[in-house]
């Protein structure tokens, strides 16, 4: 059964089509490290994954998970706001992933916010290679989640269609505010 | 460059993950036969494709295209409304495709309509195998296109989520009312 399941699963399917061994990729919201591990496996030891989080707890969980899975070699953890991505890397990125909201199991008041998210996604689009992609999974059921999605959507719908392709994907028959996906491809 | 491009291209990508040689599939709106040819190649000579259209002109174009491409063996053309699908097949279908609106290059007043489309999609979901999928590409820029999409969306968003997964996909930064995709997976 090849169900798409949810926005995260769909984002992994789409990212897998694009990212290959040796690539440089970014996890803009490393959280507990699940996307980081997924990306680390895709790029392999010859690749590089830069994972951002503002919470030390998230970075530690991510490091522990990647160590456990033997993927620490390609990992750079960065304790900073993802809005500052361009201070760390200026080009050559194949893919970036965002998983918005709060750290699962952590403090729910520390979470991504519309201003920094919009800024970070747009910075990532700038440093992306042609053909590179960005995924954003957001949670309309979280406090502020709808507003964050709306802010990002209105920024992305203005991207020039000759340069970017912006897809929204929604599971419309699921209860309890299912997660939503934004998927952006840099065309040139 | 692995751009998703548009709803039709994305529907082909999603259908390709599911359909294999030997499968039975349905093109519910054969039009000029492009989706029919795509499906005929996926199922191969050991498979079967049933293609519906209410216009003789569409069936003739489709037959000509599939003959030209050597895919006529697996093709059954059916000159009937797709709302009557269940008169022709009652089970065992792996996938179905709909491309709504009018026949390209044909009479623009002869087109799919909300009542028959909703009925046909729901009939197809009934006769689908578990794991089977249906794609619907619709055109909000056509007269009546928005209403047809809305009717279908409100029918599909009520499908039980334990049995079906319903995804909508929209390209939000394209001009001129880009086509929209509905993608349904039968879970059980």
């Amino acid at each position: 059964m090849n169900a798409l399941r949810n926005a995260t699963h769909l984002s992994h399917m789409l990212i897998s089509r694009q990212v290959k061994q040796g690539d440089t990729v970014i996890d803009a919201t490393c959280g507990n490290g699940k996307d980081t591990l997924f990306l680390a496996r895709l790029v392999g030891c010859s690749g590089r994954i830069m994972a951002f989080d503002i919470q030390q707890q998230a970075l530690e969980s991510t490091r522990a998970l990647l160590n456990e899975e033997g993927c620490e070699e390609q990992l750079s953890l960065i304790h900073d706001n993802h809005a500052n991505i361009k201070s760390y890397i200026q080009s050559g990125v194949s893919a970036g992933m965002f998983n918005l909201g709060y750290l699962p199991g952590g403090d729910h008041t520390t979470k991504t916010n519309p201003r920094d998210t919009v800024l970070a996604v747009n910075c990532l689009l700038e440093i992306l290679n042609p053909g590179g992609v960005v995924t954003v999974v957001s949670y309309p059921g979280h406090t502020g989640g709808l507003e964050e999605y709306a802010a990002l959507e209105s920024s992305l719908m203005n991207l020039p269609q000759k340069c970017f392709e912006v897809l929204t994907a929604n599971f419309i028959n699921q209860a309890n505010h299912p997660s939503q996906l934004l998927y952006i491809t840099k065309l040139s």
Side-chain angles (χ1 to χ4, degrees), chain A:
Chain A
M1 177 77 63
N2 264 330
L4 301 175
R5 290 166 47 192
N6 54 43
T8 298
H9 192 256
L10 179 57
S11 75
H12 285 203
M13 184 192 114
L14 290 164
I15 288 277
S16 298
R17 295 170 67 237
Q18 294 298 126
V19 175
K20 55 188 192 309
Q21 298 277 312
D23 280 1
T24 295
V25 296
I26 290 174
D27 186 347
T29 52
C30 72
N32 286 328
K34 287 185 181 170
D35 285 341
T36 322
L37 178 60
F38 164 75
L39 287 168
R41 285 177 169 152
L42 284 180
V43 301
C45 293
S46 60
R48 184 179 177 209
I49 158 121
M50 300 174 74
F52 290 78
D53 213 289
I54 49 165
Q55 294 187 80
Q56 193 61 42
Q57 184 192 344
L59 299 173
E60 281 163 18
S61 301
T62 299
R63 184 184 304 281
L65 180 64
L66 270 73
N67 277 349
E68 204 175 292
E69 301 289 334
C71 293
E72 67 282 9
E73 202 177 326
Q74 59 267 43
L75 176 67
S76 305
L77 286 171
I78 298 164
H79 190 193
D80 199 353
N81 187 319
H82 48 208
N84 300 324
I85 284 177
K86 281 173 32 184
S87 308
Y88 300 90
I89 184 165
Q90 291 78 42
S91 65
V93 175
S94 296
M97 298 183 80
F98 289 77
N99 195 319
L100 304 181
Y102 49 76
L103 177 66
D107 167 19
H108 288 202
T109 62
T110 304
K111 59 187 182 195
T112 57
N113 67 78
R115 189 187 146 276
D116 290 339
T117 298
V118 170
L119 191 56
V121 170
N122 282 286
C123 284
L124 193 34
L125 294 176
E126 275 182 53
I127 63 176
L128 217 55
N129 293 329
V133 297
V134 169
T135 60
V136 184
V137 172
S138 74
Y139 300 88
H142 292 188
T143 310
L146 265 181
E147 294 74 9
E148 188 173 23
Y149 181 85
L152 189 54
E153 191 184 37
S154 46
S155 167
L156 297 176
M157 69 198 299
N158 290 314
L159 287 175
Q161 76 177 91
K162 285 197 175 165
C163 306
F164 295 96
E165 187 177 84
V166 185
L167 182 81
T168 61
N170 291 284
F171 292 89
I172 63 167
N173 72 325
Q174 295 179 355
N176 303 323
H177 313 288
S179 53
Q180 301 174 282
L181 178 67
L182 282 157
Y183 178 71
I184 311 123
T185 304
K186 188 170 188 169
L187 303 174
S188 59

